[in-house]
């Protein structure tokens, strides 16, 4: 059962409900309705092909040049154009166009009053010169007498002559090319809100695996290997050379925080071993014999970092919260000479390089609510959603309740139940975000039929000084392209998009796979490098989104963010941070 209310439920549509052509047979009485239907059928089909296969724009010719005698006139050369209704506009010979007269006519039409000669205006003015399709009823003839009760009086036009007229307009002009980026951003909604949600999704995604490991292996040892020993040695050496003075300046504080995180992770992994295991580690990695000195280095570094202005060092709140957790958790879990034995979950999070304090857990709960509300809002407005089960899946995700902001010095510990609940919700929402963004990207690959709201065809941009035309520019007008002007945005990128779509679209619904733990022995876990730097988005989906949002050659770039070379920490919170709304230069 159909539900298209645009055609059958009182809505409107610019498309014919059906094409009907006359069928002739011997002995048929032909009337003007039959012959008119034949003409309407042929004309309608021709316009449909022009509109959908070619699209509006200039087919050939119609160059606009300065009039040899100067003044307020230009010359339009012979050529062929199509308007957005599919009408053919044909100029068979050169036409001299009085632009000054058209400007005056436009003013009288828009203001309803003649305000005088436009030549009296000071300064340069810019207009668009358009050609518009018109039909003229011509060649009137007297009809023969009929039995009609109300015959047409006098003569009746017997021909329709296809003609045109020139007009000038000001302001913006329609571009009928399909812009996939515009459609994608319509799905994603407000740019700043979408980037805010996706950035928090990234942060939760970085923590999800670690939270599952900490919860499932709360009493297990995390493996300390050669890579950890190298980080231990390198960060110890850097912190020794950093001095013991006052609070470091922001660039040094950022680097120091990363070294504190690296050294604290190595020491925390060491602390997960029992006494016999620690002695064996010291034999395997002699630098660990000075682990107490390393704790002293961490205490000193954390004391210096505590004296810095965190907002000055970390303007971005997403990274700032992690940096604060690095300092507070290091001070609590591994910097003391006798580590806290009653915080196995916090210790194992720190050992994985992803410290989790009370304040960050509160933020994670809030982020989960933000993510789900954003998804539900966007899904509520998604008119062309193809992932039919996504809305119900998001609505059913169980979120932990939000909590009030904790005190600055809060050291409240987490529980296995809380950690698993946050991890489960983060994993489910991360998959939902990927499903939604994939669906939004893939839905842009089918250009829609464009609506015809302005049937004039732009021929040139004109610049006038008084009543004199000083410059003509035809380079930016729409040209009819193979496949129609709606596809003009696709030509430079079509094959690359098809290749990416084969790997991204119409694939099985992604699922989150929890990390698996070995049944015995230390748990191997990678260390997340550059956690406090910008988080690039990579992969086929990100490449596809970037390509969709990169303007095709000739289209204006609507950039809303700073250069890629600008560090994230130097940007304002309202400026976007990724490819998502910028596209490569």
């Amino acid at each position: 059962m159909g539900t298209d209310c645009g055609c059958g439920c009182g809505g409107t549509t610019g498309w014919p409900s059906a094409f009907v052509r006359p069928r002739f047979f011997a002995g048929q009485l032909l009337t003007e309705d039959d012959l008119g239907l034949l003409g309407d059928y042929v004309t309608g089909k021709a316009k449909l092909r022009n509109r959908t296969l070619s699209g509006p724009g200039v087919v050939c010719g119609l160059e606009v040049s300065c009039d040899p005698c100067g003044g307020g006139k230009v010359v339009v050369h012979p050529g062929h154009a199509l308007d957005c209704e599919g009408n053919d506009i044909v100029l068979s010979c050169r036409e001299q166009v009085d632009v000054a007269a058209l400007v005056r006519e436009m003013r009288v039409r828009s203001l309803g009053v003649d305000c005088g000669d436009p030549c009296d205006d000071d300064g340069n003015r810019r207009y668009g010169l358009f050609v518009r399709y018109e039909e003229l009823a011509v060649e009137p003839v007297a009809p023969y007498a009929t039995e009609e009760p109300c015959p047409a009086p006098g003569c009746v036009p017997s021909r329709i002559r296809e003609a045109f007229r020139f007009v000038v307009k000001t302001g913006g002009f329609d571009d009928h090319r399909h812009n996939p980026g515009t459609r994608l951003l319509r799905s994603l909604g407000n740019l700043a809100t979408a980037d805010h949600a996706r950035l928090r999704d990234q942060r939760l995604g970085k923590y999800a695996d670690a939270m599952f490991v900490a919860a499932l292996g709360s009493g297990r040892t995390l493996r300390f290997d050669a890579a950890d020993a190298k980080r231990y040695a390198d960060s110890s050496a850097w912190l020794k050379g950093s001095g013991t003075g006052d609070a470091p300046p922001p660039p040094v504080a950022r680097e120091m925080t990363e070294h504190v995180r690296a050294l604290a992770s190595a020491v925390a992994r060491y602390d997960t071993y029992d006494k016999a295991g620690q002695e064996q580690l010291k034999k395997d990695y002699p630098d660990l014999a000075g682990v107490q000195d390393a704790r002293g280095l961490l205490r000193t570094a954390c004391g210096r970092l505590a004296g810095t202005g965190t907002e000055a060092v970390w303007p971005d709140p997403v990274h700032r919260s992690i940096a604060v957790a690095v300092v507070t958790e290091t001070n609590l879990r591994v910097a003391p000479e006798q580590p806290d034995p009653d915080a196995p979950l916090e210790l194992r999070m720190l050992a994985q390089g992803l410290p989790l304090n009370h304040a960050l857990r509160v933020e994670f709960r809030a982020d989960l609510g933000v993510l789900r509300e954003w998804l539900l809002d966007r899904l509520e407005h998604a008119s062309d959603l193809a992932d039919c089960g996504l809305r119900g899946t998001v609505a059913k995700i169980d979120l932990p309740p939000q909590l009030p902001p904790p005190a600055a010095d809060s050291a409240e510990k987490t529980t296995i139940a809380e950690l698993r609940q946050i991890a489960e919700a983060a994993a489910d929402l991360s998959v939902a975000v990927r499903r939604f963004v994939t669906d939004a990207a893939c839905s842009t690959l089918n250009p829609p039929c464009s609506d015809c709201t302005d049937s004039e065809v732009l021929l040139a941009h004109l610049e006038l000084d008084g009543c004199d035309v000083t410059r003509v520019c035809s380079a930016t007008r729409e040209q009819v392209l193979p496949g129609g002007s709606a596809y003009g945005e696709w030509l430079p990128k079509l094959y690359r998009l098809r290749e990416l779509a084969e790997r991204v679209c119409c694939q099985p619904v992604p699922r989150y796979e929890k990390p698996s733990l070995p049944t015995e022995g230390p748990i191997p876990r990678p260390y997340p490098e550059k956690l406090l730097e910008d988080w690039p988005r990579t992969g086929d989906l990100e490449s596809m989104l970037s390509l969709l949002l990169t303007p095709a050659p000739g289209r204006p770039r609507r950039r809303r963010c700073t250069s890629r070379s600008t560090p994230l920490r130097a940007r304002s919170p309202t400026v976007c941070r990724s490819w998502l709304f910028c596209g490569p230069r």
Side-chain angles (χ1 to χ4, degrees), residues 178-191 377-378 381-384 436 440 443-444 446 448 549 581:
H178 170 61
N179 184 347
T182 300
R183 185 171 177 180
L184 174 60
L185 294 178
R186 187 167 62 246
S187 297
L188 296 175
N190 179 270
L191 306 186
D377 175 71
R378 297 322 309 157
H381 293 85
S383 59
D384 51 2
F436 170 69
S443 68
T444 68
N446 301 307
L549 291 167
F581 309 121

Side-chain angles (χ1 to χ4, degrees), residues 279-490:
E279 292 301 321
Q280 184 60 47
L281 285 177
K282 290 178 181 178
K283 294 178 182 177
D284 296 337
Y285 307 106
D287 286 342
L288 285 175
V291 69
Q292 293 303 327
D293 295 335
R295 298 185 198 277
L297 288 173
L298 291 173
R299 286 195 296 273
T300 301
C302 289
R304 296 180 66 192
L305 290 172
T308 61
T310 54
E311 292 190 8
V313 178
W314 308 98
D316 175 55
V318 172
H319 289 79
R320 184 193 311 148
S321 299
I322 299 176
V324 170
V326 168
V327 175
T328 58
E329 288 300 292
T330 297
N331 256 331
L332 288 171
R333 313 305 172 198
V334 297
E337 293 185 7
Q338 295 298 325
D340 183 359
D342 297 324
L345 298 177
E346 285 78 7
L347 182 67
R348 279 154 183 78
M349 290 297 299
L350 188 60
Q352 296 176 80
L354 293 156
L356 184 63
N357 62 358
H358 184 198
L360 199 51
R361 296 200 314 273
V362 171
E363 282 193 27
F364 282 176
R365 289 171 179 249
D367 289 348
L368 292 170
V370 167
L371 266 179
R372 189 171 73 166
E373 286 305 311
W374 176 71
L375 279 171
L376 289 175
D377 175 71
R378 297 322 309 157
L379 291 169
E380 192 69 27
H381 293 85
S383 59
D384 51 2
L385 183 68
D387 191 340
C388 306
L390 182 55
R391 186 180 286 106
T393 298
V394 174
K396 292 178 182 176
I397 294 176
D398 183 29
L399 301 187
Q402 297 191 21
L403 298 175
D409 57 350
S410 172
E412 181 180 325
K413 299 171 185 175
T414 188
T415 64
I416 292 177
E418 178 191 12
L419 203 60
R420 289 197 64 167
Q421 190 178 21
I422 294 175
E424 294 277 3
D428 292 343
L429 281 172
S430 180
V431 170
V433 168
R434 181 174 179 82
R435 286 173 61 181
F436 170 69
V437 176
T438 299
D439 184 87
C442 294
S443 68
T444 68
L445 301 182
N446 301 307
C449 293
S450 58
D451 294 329
C452 183
T453 57
D454 194 349
S455 61
E456 292 91 1
V457 177
L458 176 66
L459 298 182
H461 295 278
L462 306 178
E463 188 172 314
L464 276 69
D465 185 1
C467 275
D468 294 333
V469 177
T470 58
R471 194 177 182 203
V472 176
C473 178
S474 303
T476 57
R477 66 188 185 182
E478 285 184 310
Q479 298 289 144
V480 171
L481 299 166
S485 64
Y487 288 79
E489 179 80 7
W490 296 98

Side-chain angles (χ1 to χ4, degrees), residues 117-329:
D117 195 338
C119 301
D120 297 335
D121 293 349
D122 295 329
N124 291 343
R125 291 159 296 137
R126 299 177 186 275
Y127 300 94
L129 176 64
F130 292 77
V131 64
R132 176 189 296 163
Y133 174 83
E134 288 192 345
E135 293 183 348
L136 304 176
V138 297
E139 298 187 25
V141 297
Y144 288 103
T146 66
E147 297 180 357
E148 293 290 332
C150 298
C155 296
V156 178
S158 62
R159 302 287 187 271
I160 297 296
R161 177 184 296 161
E162 296 187 346
F164 58 86
R165 67 175 298 170
F166 297 104
V167 295
V168 294
K169 297 169 65 175
T170 59
F173 310 124
D174 286 347
D175 186 342
H176 297 89
R177 288 178 292 182
H178 170 61
N179 184 347
T182 300
R183 185 171 177 180
L184 174 60
L185 294 178
R186 187 167 62 246
S187 297
L188 296 175
N190 179 270
L191 306 186
T193 303
D195 194 53
H196 174 88
R198 292 205 73 203
L199 191 61
R200 276 145 182 79
D201 173 58
Q202 276 191 284
R203 184 169 70 171
L204 287 166
K206 290 182 178 296
Y207 269 78
D209 278 2
M211 288 190 287
F212 275 119
V213 169
L216 297 174
S218 59
R220 301 280 299 276
T221 299
L222 295 183
R223 188 170 69 189
F224 187 104
D225 57 20
D228 299 303
K230 186 177 185 307
R231 276 195 307 276
Y232 175 92
D234 292 346
S235 294
S236 294
W238 191 95
L239 291 173
K240 283 180 184 178
S242 66
T244 58
D246 297 330
V252 177
R254 287 190 287 269
E255 189 174 3
M256 180 179 289
T257 305
E258 275 290 16
H259 283 290
V260 167
R261 186 174 71 92
L263 182 57
S265 172
V267 174
R269 292 191 184 212
Y270 168 86
D271 287 343
T272 63
Y273 283 75
D274 58 19
K275 293 297 183 181
Q278 291 177 356
E279 292 301 321
Q280 184 60 47
L281 285 177
K282 290 178 181 178
K283 294 178 182 177
D284 296 337
Y285 307 106
D287 286 342
L288 285 175
V291 69
Q292 293 303 327
D293 295 335
R295 298 185 198 277
L297 288 173
L298 291 173
R299 286 195 296 273
T300 301
C302 289
R304 296 180 66 192
L305 290 172
T308 61
T310 54
E311 292 190 8
V313 178
W314 308 98
D316 175 55
V318 172
H319 289 79
R320 184 193 311 148
S321 299
I322 299 176
V324 170
V326 168
V327 175
T328 58
E329 288 300 292

